[in-house]
């Protein structure tokens, strides 16, 4: 049902880096800003990245975002056990005239 | 600090209407900058956008749910609401309300949800 595709899971050891991809189309990522959300177990999603690469106040610079064409990427460096969560990308879809979210990626710290 | 609080039933019978409200505190719902939306998440699954509304009542709905969804706003109560009719077990999910930054005065549309309610699990079962 999701129009944005993410890998189901990524993992790495503490201190390492992971990247999460988000693939869409010209009607969504290609022509609109991308945001990223972190969802810790049992909690509501939390805004992590907005406008492709900006961090809200309080979000450490270990988290970064980028966009190229119809894809976006979330990067997490210096991985910590507290980063274990589900991560979702989101954007507006101009064809659907609505918000769309990615399929979600579970980050595991080995 | 802006807060959103959902209120609604935890259990709804099949074919009935699910009704939720979201009360906004610490800020005004009457702003052209923001839209107010509903997102749901079936157990163990991803996020699904249901729809959103602005302070003047303009609505946007997920095409897959549009025939069953009504979102309304009451600026006097700083509150917005969701009605989802003819529910089935497939509508069992955690329902979130959220504030979405829709339009920036610089002339662009950021489209991100910066504040979320805590979420409420709704189970559709007889």
């Amino acid at each position: 049902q999701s129009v944005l595709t993410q890998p189901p899971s990524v993992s790495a050891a503490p201190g390492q880096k992971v990247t999460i991809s988000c693939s869409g189309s010209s009607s969504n990522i290609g022509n609109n800003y991308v945001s990223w959300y972190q969802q810790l177990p049992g909690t509501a999603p939390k805004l992590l990245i907005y406008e492709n690469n900006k961090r809200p106040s309080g979000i450490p610079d270990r988290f970064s975002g980028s966009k190229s064409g119809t894809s976006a990427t979330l990067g997490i460096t210096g991985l910590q056990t507290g980063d274990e969560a589900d991560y979702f990308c989101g954007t507006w879809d101009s064809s659907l005239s609505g918000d769309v979210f990615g399929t979600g990626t579970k980050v595991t710290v080995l | 600090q802006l807060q959103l609080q959902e209120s609604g039933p935890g259990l709804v019978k099949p074919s009935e209407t699910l009704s939720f409200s979201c009360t906004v505190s610490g800020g005004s719902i009457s702003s052209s900058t923001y839209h107010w939306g509903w997102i749901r998440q079936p157990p163990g699954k991803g996020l699904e956008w249901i729809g959103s509304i602005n302070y003047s009542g303009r609505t946007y709905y997920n095409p897959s749910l549009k025939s069953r969804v009504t979102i309304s706003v009451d600026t006097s109560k700083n509150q917005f609401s969701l009605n989802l009719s003819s529910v089935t077990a497939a509508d069992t999910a955690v329902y979130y309300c959220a504030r979405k930054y829709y339009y920036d005065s610089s002339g662009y549309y950021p489209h991100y949800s910066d504040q979320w309610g805590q979420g409420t699990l709704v189970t559709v079962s007889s």
Side-chain angles (χ1 to χ4, degrees):
Chain A
Q1 191 169 8
S2 298
V3 300
L4 305 179
T5 303
Q6 299 178 231
S9 63
V10 297
S11 60
Q16 297 300 303
K17 174 182 178 179
V18 296
T19 59
I20 300 171
S21 59
C22 175
S23 178
S25 68
S26 59
S27 67
N28 41 68
I29 291 178
N31 284 285
N32 293 287
Y33 287 106
V34 176
S35 52
W36 288 91
Y37 304 88
Q38 177 193 59
Q39 187 176 33
L40 297 170
T43 69
K46 172 185 174 182
L47 180 67
L48 206 59
I49 297 288
Y50 66 98
E51 294 178 19
N52 301 335
N53 55 18
K54 297 178 182 178
R55 285 175 287 105
S57 173
I59 301 300
D61 59 7
R62 300 187 299 105
F63 296 92
S64 63
S66 63
K67 186 184 106 167
S68 178
T70 59
S71 294
T73 302
L74 173 71
I76 311 174
T77 59
L79 204 59
Q80 302 176 0
T81 55
D83 298 332
E84 286 201 331
D86 293 320
Y87 293 81
F88 297 91
C89 56
T91 187
W92 177 260
D93 191 295
S94 305
S95 295
L96 299 175
S97 292
D99 289 331
V100 289
F101 291 101
T103 48
T105 299
K106 181 175 183 61
V107 170
T108 301
V109 181
L110 301 173
Chain B
Q1 174 75 357
L2 188 92
Q3 290 188 323
L4 294 91
Q5 179 70 51
E6 303 102 353
S7 59
L11 181 65
V12 180
K13 290 182 168 55
S15 80
E16 294 188 344
T17 295
L18 177 161
S19 296
F20 261 97
S21 62
C22 182
T23 301
V24 179
S25 59
S28 175
I29 204 170
S30 299
S31 168
S32 59
T33 299
Y34 298 105
H35 281 190
W36 306 90
W38 293 96
I39 300 104
R40 70 180 183 178
Q41 185 174 34
K45 296 188 178 180
L47 302 172
E48 180 181 31
W49 177 74
I50 299 171
S52 59
I53 192 168
N54 71 0
Y55 75 99
S56 67
R58 180 174 182 181
T59 53
Y60 299 83
Y61 295 138
N62 185 324
S64 68
L65 298 170
K66 187 174 183 177
S67 63
R68 300 193 291 129
V69 172
T70 302
I71 297 176
S72 58
V73 64
D74 186 337
T75 55
S76 66
K77 295 182 179 178
N78 228 33
Q79 195 175 77
F80 61 107
S81 300
L82 166 71
N83 279 350
L84 180 65
S85 64
S86 305
V87 298
T88 70
D91 295 309
T92 293
V94 175
Y95 285 75
Y96 297 99
C97 60
R99 182 181 79 170
K100 176 181 161 179
Y101 191 28
Y102 175 76
Y103 175 73
D104 188 278
S105 57
S106 300
Y108 66 97
Y109 298 84
H111 288 299
Y112 61 86
S113 295
D114 62 346
Q115 298 291 337
W116 296 65
Q118 84 282 0
T120 299
L121 174 63
V122 175
T123 301
V124 178
S125 174
S126 55

